[in-house]
């Protein structure tokens, strides 16, 4: 069972990294040229500077800070991805902090998953470890209504 678990975990890791890389390559040029939220799915970041540029250039950014070995992170990813379609004015991003170690210190991430909502370049809400996705959705909705309606 240990071997089976190890192989399935490795396959999941490779699959998720591939999906993240495809999405990143697909949308990176769009964001680089014209930084706007939109009806795109979650964007996977592979450089810490990209997160800083997004935070400065977009009104609302929802960042999922995760580790590829975190099962909860992998489980909530599809829910956040569907949430990104509900809020077209909000940019949803995910960052694998195992490959970007300086994000851990820069944003003080002590546990996984961590969801940080940035509004107008400032961290406004943080959800760590145990939280309800409904609370995340309510917070995003509140700031989206304040800024875009």
């Amino acid at each position: 069972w240990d071997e089976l678990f190890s192989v399935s975990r490795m396959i999941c890791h490779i699959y998720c990294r591939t999906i993240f890389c495809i999405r990143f390559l697909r949308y990176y040029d769009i964001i680089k040229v014209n930084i706007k939220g939109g009806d795109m799915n979650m964007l996977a970041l592979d450089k810490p500077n990209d997160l800083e540029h997004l935070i400065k250039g977009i009104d609302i950014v929802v960042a999922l800070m995760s580790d590829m070995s975190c099962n909860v992170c992998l489980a909530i990813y599809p829910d956040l991805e569907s949430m990104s379609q509900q809020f077209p004015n909000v940019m949803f991003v995910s960052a694998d902090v195992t490959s970007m170690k300086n994000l851990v210190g820069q944003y003080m991430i002590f546990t996984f998953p961590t969801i940080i909502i940035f509004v107008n370049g400032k961290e406004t809400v943080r959800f760590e470890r145990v939280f309800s996705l409904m609370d995340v959705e309510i917070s995003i909705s509140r700031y989206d209504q304040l800024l875009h309606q």
Side-chain angles (χ1 to χ4, degrees):
W1 288 108
D2 290 336
E3 290 178 10
L4 180 64
F5 178 75
S6 177
V7 169
S8 65
R9 185 174 171 190
M10 184 171 53
I11 290 170
C12 180
H13 179 72
I14 291 169
Y15 173 75
C16 291
R17 285 298 263 187
T18 304
I19 297 300
F20 288 167
C21 290
I22 289 170
R23 288 198 177 124
F24 183 78
L25 292 174
R26 188 172 167 196
Y27 295 119
Y28 184 72
D29 289 334
I30 296 169
I31 291 170
K32 195 173 175 185
V33 173
N34 189 7
I35 298 181
K36 283 189 175 180
D39 53 359
M40 51 179 96
N41 293 334
M42 280 185 72
L43 177 69
L45 303 175
D46 61 349
K47 289 188 282 186
N49 294 341
D50 294 337
L51 181 59
E52 292 175 27
H53 292 299
L54 289 172
I55 291 169
K56 290 177 185 175
I58 298 176
D59 291 337
I60 304 173
V61 177
V62 178
L64 169 63
M65 307 293 189
S66 64
D67 180 7
M68 292 306 295
S69 64
C70 170
N71 291 328
V72 176
C73 301
L74 295 174
I76 66 171
Y77 184 87
D79 295 329
L80 286 175
E81 197 170 34
S82 66
M83 208 181 292
S84 72
Q85 295 171 354
Q86 293 176 6
F87 300 102
N89 297 318
V90 178
M91 175 61 74
F92 285 76
V93 298
S94 67
D96 180 12
V97 295
T98 55
S99 61
M100 295 182 280
K101 300 278 188 203
N102 56 345
L103 285 180
V104 172
Q106 186 175 359
Y107 295 104
M108 297 182 6
I109 300 165
F110 299 110
T111 186
F112 302 115
T114 298
I115 297 176
I116 305 174
I117 301 174
F118 297 94
V119 179
N120 291 330
K122 307 262 187 218
E123 179 181 335
T124 56
V125 183
R126 177 184 289 246
F127 299 93
E128 293 179 317
R129 188 177 248 175
V130 180
F131 55 85
S132 165
L133 285 175
M134 187 176 289
D135 292 338
V136 174
E137 186 174 356
I138 289 169
S139 294
I140 295 168
S141 175
R142 181 182 321 134
Y143 287 110
D144 188 37
Q145 287 176 358
L146 284 172
L147 293 176
H148 298 115
Q149 292 181 9

